Amino acid sequence: MRKGKLYLVSLMMLLIMSLFLAACGADDAETSSSESGNDSSTSTDSSTTDDSSSSTPQVLVFGRGADSVSLDPGIVTDGESFKVTQNLFETLLNFGEQDTTINPGLAKEWEVSEDGLTYTFQLQEGVKFHDGTDFNAEAVIKNINRWKGGKEEDFYYFNSMFKAEGEDIIKDVTAEGDYTVVFTLSRPQAPFLKNLAMSPFGIGSPTAFEAAGDKFGDNPVGTGPFKFTEWKRNDSITIEKFEDYWQDGFPKLDKVIFRSIPDNSARLNELMAGNIDLADGVNPSDGKTVEGDSTLQLIERPSMNIGYLGLTNTRAPFDNKLVRQAVNYAIDKQAIVDAFFEGRAEVAANPMPPSISGYNDAISPYPYDPEKAKSLLAEAGYDGKEIELWAMPVPRPYMPDGAKVAEVIQKNLEDVGIPSKIVTFEWATYLEKAKNGEADAFMLGWTGDNGDADNFIYTLLDKDNIGSNNYAYYTNEEVHSLLIQAQSETDENVRNELYKKAQEIIHDDAPWVPLAHSTPLLAAKAGVNGFLPHPTGSDKLHNVSME
Amino acid sequence: MLHYIGKRLLHLIPVLLGMTFLVFLIIRAIPGDPAQVILGQQATADAIAALRLKLGLDNPWYVQYFDYLKGIVTGDLGESLRTRQPISSEMWPYLAATFELAFFAMIIAIIVGVNAGIVSAWFQNSWFDYLAMVIALIGVSMPIFWLGLMEQWAFGIQLGWLPTSGREEVRDPVTAITHFYLIDTLWQGRFDQFIVVLKHLLLPGIALATIPTAIIARMTRASMLEVMRSDFVRTARAKGQKMFVVVYKHALKNALIPVLTVVGLQTGMLLGGAILTETIFSWPGIGRYIYEAIGFRDYPVIQSGILIVAFLFVMINLIVDLLYTVIDSRIKYN
């Protein structure tokens, strides 16, 4: 009997202890998890050994926000899927290590004809797919034909990049010998090479996809530095070193494990506890914590995004240009960047970031000038009716905290006499309603796919894209003709001028308030070397090693 | 008895049917287009229209509903819109993960809750009684996500005792057979992995167990107090039996009936209510599976997921009702 009672009391004490420990924390989880970094060096790392002696395999555990949808890069559209496929597959051309310049990939050289309609690629020789199939011209042709023959809803990116008005831009692909491929286009396409370097166009093994059909995504086979091992859905994806990789000395890691950890704070906790080596999607507010911890390093991803406040141009009062300009003067963009991006962003002037070719740096952001805003509103005859201000419900790299930014904007608008009500919806609903033009003013953003101006300005602000990505319902014929002209202009200088002109008009029309180009953050253990995050969000890990 | 079970199972049909219909209507009433979500922000209007056609989302709702029912009757739960995998094969690992976590949490809740309730009743109005009930009150009212993050901070980061996310050490993954990792690791004689899996269960298990523990403790206490005042307990005491024997042998059996009801209800709750815990602890369970499906408007997954959880919920209640007869011979089902 004594024993039973003792056992009970000790059990209760344990429970009390755990509650007490929990109660010792700070007021809310956000701050407590972010203030604990400075003294977390006591954390023992019992479960992991990552000394890089040659006997222990080098394993990198990469924590991220969500699982992949499929591992067939041709059929997916989400960044989390590409994060993995980028290391299993290779594209004909590669982006630069941390930019979107064009570099050799599976194709070592290429020539473009004078008229911009014929592209001839010389392929790397001696490359093998993970299943032993040879990589050659025939494999490239089979991949292109697979995407071409598929339906739009299956190979979404191929269709959006290489089809226009229902017509194939890639008219024909032929082989000249085993290692030369010739692409014939139906019309010149300025960003053609950049498009080919995008993750969705990773070349797969024809043997594998012909056998697997639509199950190719469960057992992907490419030529990349890593090959697929295992996928535990919603939990982890494991890829391992491909011993026959064609580039000697790569990859340096033996294994990479991608773990899905949905909650940002929980992900950082896992990194601090030593259970993962690299964490994507670090809140700007946690940046200082990571920097203050000697066992961790903070890594900045080069910025290629825009966060903006869209003003639906077809709804009153934003159908009046003067009112839209007034809102641009009313909002204190620098204050927003300082407060919510922790300074890790720059105030935006144009609908695309400065790193993109064709950026107009003669344009500066609308200055913060409430008086100017008031006089414009008076001139416009604004009636003082309350507007709806839509706040983003989810954190995104271009907008870490939609709700708080909305409150600042609300205050700014109130100061110049525009009353507003903040509303928000669950993410899928939000996008649907904004796309239908139901918002007055809404927050949104965009991360570039291929580092081309067309992928920002045409995609987000051309009249062709009303009902898809032109949420602001902005229409301007002059801008439209400039953008269409730029799509097939192959002279880079002429093309840049066209985009600069378009940006001028857009700046004056003020369909949005461009807010910021943010620098997304990652964190890693101090011993992770050679990790270079890519602006597109698809990171190549062949050069990463661990100390 | 069999007759009774048969009748109860027949009753399930209209209940589940009504539920599928409700869920079907509600999820279609929320705005948001699966085709749009699947294709992402970059999607063109044409691509969305084509995908809608392919997924059969353009059919009238009643056609879609009957197609779905037809599938269910033939044991086909449909295909996920997003991953294009058959749900019946996709769902089991998630379900097993949630089962393992829920049962683990329930075992903690029963052991701690029942014992705390007994001791509280036994030493009514003592310091232990007050303390236990205050803690129970805190346990019921504490937000799980906060408790979860605190646990991670204290036991994971500060003390480094326990892992704070997932089901296994990813550097040494478990080979899944049944997807109950405790069973799988024992099966393969991997005791080292068994311990690791157990460690992973601890923090989410405790977080998930707080509410049922508190409820069970309060219920046990109340029903024990009532039983302790009854004649047979007084008789037992008068015969000179030790208090311990009286409490644990005579009183407990009678006091357990209302507790059992709570256990049944709470187990059902745990199956569906694990979403927060699963998100904080990155536990790949059914709650997160359905939750993410809602974000993606993955209609078949939401429908079938909720159907399965509801089915389990009513089955657990049936089992609880049958257990009454085992505990209390006065209860008979005819």
Side-chain angles (χ1 to χ4, degrees):
Chain A
M1 167 195 159
R2 279 269 145 79
K3 251 190 193 157
K5 209 167 132 183
L6 232 160
Y7 155 78
L8 272 185
V9 170
S10 60
L11 207 67
M12 286 311 290
M13 286 311 285
L14 192 86
L15 202 78
I16 294 160
M17 277 293 293
S18 68
L19 287 177
F20 178 73
L21 262 175
C24 288
D27 298 347
D28 76 84
E30 287 299 321
T31 51
S32 66
S33 64
S34 64
E35 282 165 8
S36 60
N38 300 331
D39 52 3
S40 71
S41 49
T42 51
S43 76
T44 52
D45 190 346
S46 56
S47 60
T48 58
T49 48
D50 40 72
D51 58 74
S52 60
S53 66
S54 57
S55 60
T56 49
Q58 291 218 346
V59 180
L60 176 89
V61 184
F62 190 154
R64 59 201 188 125
D67 198 9
S68 297
V69 172
S70 166
L71 295 181
D72 174 357
I75 66 168
V76 289
T77 56
D78 65 307
E80 295 299 352
S81 294
F82 295 134
K83 267 198 183 72
V84 182
T85 63
Q86 187 72 348
N87 293 288
L88 300 171
F89 295 84
E90 289 172 301
T91 40
L92 287 177
L93 301 169
N94 284 335
F95 288 132
E97 276 184 335
Q98 291 205 284
D99 56 38
T100 50
T101 54
I102 298 296
N103 294 273
L106 286 174
K108 52 186 179 187
E109 292 156 10
W110 57 94
E111 280 168 22
V112 190
S113 65
E114 202 62 32
D115 59 4
L117 290 174
T118 312
Y119 288 76
T120 309
F121 294 92
Q122 301 299 329
L123 305 180
Q124 284 286 357
E125 297 177 25
V127 177
K128 279 201 183 304
F129 288 103
H130 305 152
D131 60 0
T133 307
D134 287 323
F135 166 77
N136 51 27
E138 189 196 359
V140 174
I141 293 171
K142 282 186 172 169
N143 272 274
I144 302 286
N145 287 338
R146 173 176 180 238
W147 298 324
K148 259 177 89 166
K151 292 195 185 65
E152 181 168 10
E153 67 270 20
D154 292 331
F155 299 109
Y156 172 74
Y157 259 116
F158 185 85
N159 280 275
S160 83
M161 294 291 160
F162 297 119
K163 276 209 173 90
E165 286 111 42
E167 182 196 19
D168 270 310
I169 288 172
I170 301 175
K171 196 164 71 181
D172 201 18
V173 199
T174 50
E176 289 181 3
D178 273 351
Y179 295 103
T180 307
V181 181
V182 181
F183 283 73
T184 312
L185 308 193
S186 57
R187 60 162 85 176
Q189 187 188 39
F192 180 72
L193 293 172
K194 276 191 170 150
N195 290 348
L196 279 183
M198 287 169 59
S199 310
F201 310 123
I203 304 291
S205 160
T207 321
F209 66 67
E210 282 166 3
D214 59 3
K215 295 273 179 271
F216 182 59
D218 297 341
N219 211 341
V221 183
T223 59
F226 295 92
K227 61 180 192 195
F228 172 74
T229 316
E230 188 191 19
W231 185 357
K232 287 184 173 170
R233 282 195 179 259
N234 245 344
D235 188 27
S236 66
I237 294 176
T238 306
I239 61 179
E240 62 185 34
K241 182 178 189 155
F242 176 41
E243 296 295 348
D244 297 330
Y245 185 56
W246 58 281
Q247 297 197 58
D248 285 340
F250 295 106
K252 294 176 178 172
L253 293 167
D254 294 297
K255 205 187 255 186
V256 181
I257 301 166
F258 295 90
R259 282 200 53 202
S260 320
I261 305 172
D263 186 83
N264 280 1
S265 306
R267 202 175 322 122
L268 194 61
N269 279 351
E270 277 292 82
L271 182 71
M272 290 177 166
N275 298 327
I276 61 176
D277 306 309
L278 180 64
D280 196 359
V282 173
N283 296 329
S285 53
D286 289 332
K288 285 200 172 61
T289 310
V290 176
E291 282 179 323
D293 186 333
S294 61
T295 62
L296 301 177
Q297 54 177 323
L298 190 70
I299 302 173
E300 295 189 338
R301 184 184 293 287
S303 177
M304 198 171 78
N305 62 32
I306 171 87
Y308 63 88
L309 178 73
L311 308 169
T312 308
N313 289 213
T314 47
R315 291 172 76 97
F318 300 122
D319 50 358
N320 183 330
K321 182 164 92 173
L322 296 172
V323 175
R324 297 199 300 266
Q325 288 177 338
V327 173
N328 268 279
Y329 282 112
I331 292 174
D332 188 352
K333 296 176 273 289
Q334 190 62 52
I336 290 172
V337 165
D338 292 344
F340 303 114
F341 292 83
E342 305 279 326
R344 294 183 206 276
E346 55 180 321
V347 169
N350 289 316
M352 66 184 198
S355 57
I356 307 266
S357 180
Y359 181 83
N360 190 334
D361 43 21
I363 295 173
S364 49
Y366 279 88
Y368 173 56
D369 188 348
E371 292 312 313
K372 175 86 179 157
K374 283 179 192 164
S375 68
L376 280 170
L377 288 174
E379 191 187 337
Y382 169 62
D383 57 1
K385 207 163 149 244
E386 186 183 74
I387 61 152
E388 275 192 359
L389 173 61
W390 289 26
M392 272 178 60
V394 289
R396 283 284 179 271
Y398 50 75
M399 188 67 66
D401 194 338
K404 289 195 178 124
V405 173
E407 284 170 20
V408 174
I409 292 175
Q410 183 182 39
K411 176 77 175 64
N412 284 159
L413 293 176
E414 196 183 319
D415 290 345
V416 299
I418 303 177
S420 61
K421 184 173 81 183
I422 296 177
V423 290
T424 191
F425 306 93
E426 176 265 356
W427 187 228
T429 308
Y430 185 96
L431 288 176
E432 170 90 354
K433 289 169 95 73
K435 195 175 74 176
N436 295 339
E438 293 174 38
D440 295 331
F442 58 93
M443 286 177 178
L444 210 59
W446 182 259
T447 299
D449 291 313
N450 59 359
D452 192 85
D454 184 72
N455 180 250
F456 278 89
I457 306 187
Y458 175 78
T459 304
L460 301 174
L461 287 166
D462 191 85
K463 67 169 191 166
D464 286 352
N465 286 317
I466 287 177
S468 70
N469 285 303
N470 183 350
Y471 290 83
Y473 281 68
Y474 171 64
T475 312
N476 182 308
E477 289 302 333
E478 198 184 345
V479 168
H480 175 68
S481 65
L482 287 167
L483 296 177
I484 295 296
Q485 206 184 326
Q487 283 179 337
S488 50
E489 175 57 62
T490 46
D491 181 331
E492 188 75 5
N493 294 327
V494 177
R495 195 166 179 246
N496 287 347
E497 285 312 311
L498 294 170
Y499 283 123
K500 283 179 178 170
K501 180 80 188 103
Q503 285 163 84
E504 272 171 38
I505 302 166
I506 290 166
H507 183 76
D508 182 62
D509 277 343
W512 301 346
V513 182
L515 295 171
H517 308 295
S518 75
T519 300
L521 298 176
L522 301 93
K525 279 186 188 162
V528 174
N529 293 323
F531 174 71
L532 296 171
H534 199 265
T536 56
S538 308
D539 308 318
K540 285 189 188 293
L541 303 171
H542 63 286
N543 201 20
V544 179
S545 61
M546 317 257 294
E547 274 169 22
Chain B
M1 188 66 159
L2 281 177
H3 176 75
Y4 169 77
I5 296 175
K7 207 164 78 179
R8 280 286 298 263
L9 289 177
L10 278 179
H11 280 178
L12 279 189
I13 295 170
V15 168
L16 291 177
L17 202 68
M19 203 214 59
T20 54
F21 187 68
L22 267 181
V23 170
F24 185 92
L25 284 190
I26 289 170
I27 58 177
R28 276 169 178 70
I30 3 179
D33 179 356
Q36 165 78 55
V37 180
I38 290 165
L39 293 177
Q41 256 181 303
Q42 271 83 344
T44 60
D46 291 350
I48 291 172
L51 185 62
R52 286 186 63 85
L53 194 67
K54 183 178 168 178
L55 299 173
L57 294 168
D58 284 342
N59 296 334
W61 65 267
Y62 50 88
V63 174
Q64 290 184 51
Y65 181 63
F66 281 109
D67 280 349
Y68 171 64
L69 279 191
K70 255 189 287 190
I72 298 246
V73 172
T74 56
D76 173 16
L77 292 172
E79 205 178 69
S80 160
L81 299 183
R82 190 165 68 107
T83 63
R84 304 180 194 180
Q85 305 278 329
I87 293 168
S88 44
S89 66
E90 195 180 55
M91 197 185 296
W92 176 246
Y94 298 121
L95 208 54
T98 296
F99 268 149
E100 192 161 56
L101 179 60
F103 283 128
F104 187 77
M106 209 60 221
I107 287 166
I108 295 178
I110 291 169
I111 292 172
V112 179
V114 168
N115 284 306
I118 290 170
V119 177
S120 278
W122 186 348
F123 302 107
Q124 199 192 348
N125 299 337
S126 67
W127 64 267
F128 181 91
D129 181 23
Y130 290 130
L131 187 67
M133 287 307 116
V134 167
I135 291 175
L137 185 66
I138 295 170
V140 168
S141 12
M142 179 145 27
I144 283 195
F145 64 89
W146 185 78
L147 176 67
L149 282 169
M150 281 296 117
E151 280 183 347
Q152 287 182 341
W153 176 77
F155 297 104
I157 296 178
Q158 296 302 316
L159 300 167
W161 291 350
L162 292 168
T164 54
S165 79
R167 298 180 69 190
E168 59 183 351
E169 169 49 57
V170 284
R171 292 179 174 86
D172 177 24
V174 173
T175 314
I177 304 167
T178 62
H179 289 281
F180 290 104
Y181 283 3
L182 287 175
I183 296 171
D184 290 348
T185 48
L186 283 180
W187 191 290
Q188 295 160 43
R190 293 288 309 269
F191 295 106
D192 56 327
Q193 278 193 336
F194 177 81
I195 298 297
V196 168
V197 169
L198 204 58
K199 277 184 165 179
H200 277 89
L201 272 164
L202 267 173
L203 291 184
I206 290 170
L208 195 57
T210 46
I211 291 174
T213 304
I215 293 173
I216 289 170
R218 284 155 70 167
M219 193 75 202
T220 311
R221 179 179 180 271
S223 102
M224 276 302 279
L225 284 175
E226 202 172 313
V227 174
M228 301 275 259
R229 291 192 198 98
S230 62
D231 293 346
F232 74 92
V233 171
R234 205 173 331 124
T235 311
R237 289 301 311 276
K239 282 160 87 182
Q241 289 225 351
K242 283 209 173 85
M243 193 61 185
F244 184 79
V245 179
V246 172
V247 169
Y248 276 86
K249 198 173 159 197
H250 300 293
L252 185 57
K253 202 172 159 183
N254 289 287
L256 269 188
I257 292 178
V259 175
L260 191 62
T261 310
V262 173
V263 168
L265 282 173
Q266 286 295 322
T267 307
M269 295 288 223
L270 288 192
L271 288 180
I275 290 182
L276 277 177
T277 315
E278 287 177 358
T279 300
I280 294 290
F281 290 95
S282 315
W283 194 267
I286 191 88
R288 234 179 86 198
Y289 180 55
I290 296 174
Y291 176 73
E292 286 185 1
I294 292 172
F296 283 100
R297 300 291 186 273
D298 198 337
Y299 295 157
V301 171
I302 307 171
Q303 283 158 202
S304 297
I306 293 179
L307 179 70
I308 297 290
V309 170
F311 176 74
L312 291 168
F313 191 97
V314 286
M315 286 312 284
I316 289 167
N317 280 330
L318 175 61
I319 291 165
V320 166
D321 285 354
L322 295 177
L323 279 177
Y324 289 157
T325 57
V326 179
I327 292 180
D328 189 340
S329 48
R330 289 172 306 179
I331 299 176
K332 286 262 189 300
Y333 296 120
N334 291 320

